[in-house]
Structure formats: C-alpha cells, structure tokens
Amino acid sequence: MIRAKKSLGQNFLIDENILKKIVSTIEIKNKSILEVGPGTGNLTLHILGKKPKKLLVIEKDKNLAILLEKKFKDKITIINDDILKINEKNLQKEKLIVFGNLPYNISTEILAKWILNLESENFWFENLILMFQKEVADRIISKFNSSKYGRLSILANWKLDVKKMFDIKPLSFSPRPKVESSLLFFSPRKNFYQIKNPKNLEKITRIFFNQRRKKLKTPFNKLFEGKIDILNKLKIDLNLRPHNLKKEIYYQLVEEYEKL
C-alpha cells in the first residue's frame, strides 16, 4: 500500500467528480499533455480517457513512479525526477498542456521558476491547469490595493492571464489537507511588458515587498537612490505602500532599473 509522504507535500486527489471537472476544463484530445505530481494516477486515468496524443508525467517519488509504470505501462512516459531540476523547455518540441496537483510546499517555487524561465516569443506550454492551496491561489489572482496582493500576483500576471476555475474541499483528498485548494487556469498573454532580465522583476518585487507595511520610500531609495525623475515619470507617491502600486508600475520600475 502506498502512503502519502508529508516530506513531499503529497495529498492524493480521490474525488471522481473533481477529477472529471479538471479534465473538462480544456479540450485535450490529440494534444500533448504533461502531468506534474501524478501520485497514484487518479487524474492520469481521466486524462488518458480523453485520448491525448501523448502523456508525460513527472513524479519525484520512486515508489510512485514504479506504481505508475505497472498501472499504465506504455500508455504514458514517466520521468522520475524533481520538477525543480528539470528544464521544461527540453521535454519535447511540441507545446504541452500542463496539469498539476502541485505539492503545497513547493507550488510557488515551481510557478516562479516557470514564469522567470519563459522566453518572450516562444512559450513551451499552451495552458497550465494547476492546483494550489486556496490561500496561495488567492494571492496569485489578487489585485492591487488588496492585502493579498504581492510578488506572486505581479509575477504570475506578467506574461499570463489567470482565471480561477473552482475551489476544492479537503475531503476530496487522501490524506485530507487542513486547508481548501483552488484550481487555476493560466493562458499566455499575447501582449506583455518587455523586460530584459526577468530576474530583475524578481529582485525588485522582493525588495519592495520585503517590508510590505512600510512606505515606498525605503525600498525605492535602496534601488534608485532617490532619483526624482523616475518618481515624476511614473507618478509614484512614496507615502504609499507596496500593495498600493499597480503591477504595471512594477514592470516600469524594472525597465528604469535596467537603464541604470
């Protein structure tokens, strides 16, 4: 019997109705699919039922990878590795539709890695259909002036449109987590703010939101040495707090930082 490992943030989705809802969020017939964290293969089974052209799964747990191989044989391609160590752009040439019941403990790290590694003109995926803790999902979709708005909102909404599909109760999982989950649907944006080095967006949002309750003056001066011309150009009031600035202002701040 396979037991969920707390160290890997494993919670296996067992609710048939939810599994059906997830695979119905997008047409996957004859498409190439990637599933991250398939666990015991409950969602895998439903994906295969929709007749994809190809199904790749990434599973870090060796015992689960062996179980999946026995269960599905040559119907799927199993990659027994850590998702954070894989270069997703090398998985295959054709764009993938990605499903993921992401481990709670590394879900934001996975998303940030994927976003920061995106190339401007050539995304490696068509869509991402990902599950997060509800609290994390709420941070991803939050708007400025909200207490939940922060680095994750700004990063996730830079090159992607994000839509919340539905919430999932703890009883849909085994073992049951203590929190609710949410399914988010990500689509590539056609137009987004051009930034030379995405790591600068990560750096600037980290410095600004490091002390989110403090006024903008300290992080701004740390990055821009109080340059008044940038303040005037972007119409920034240093008496505001980090969550009061629209995401577009942060993208413009990155542009100004890259000019220095």
Side-chain angles (χ1 to χ4, degrees), residues 12-23:
F12 304 135
L13 188 58
I14 56 171
D15 187 322
E16 286 293 313
N17 290 327
I18 296 296
L19 290 163
K20 286 173 188 172
K21 277 179 81 174
I22 292 171
V23 294

Side-chain angles (χ1 to χ4, degrees), residues 235-253:
K235 298 181 172 58
I236 294 173
D237 178 355
L238 291 184
N239 289 312
L240 296 175
R241 287 171 173 77
H243 69 276
N244 299 129
L245 293 186
K246 291 181 179 180
K247 61 183 187 294
E248 290 80 9
I249 298 292
Y250 284 102
Y251 307 147
Q252 289 173 309
L253 279 167

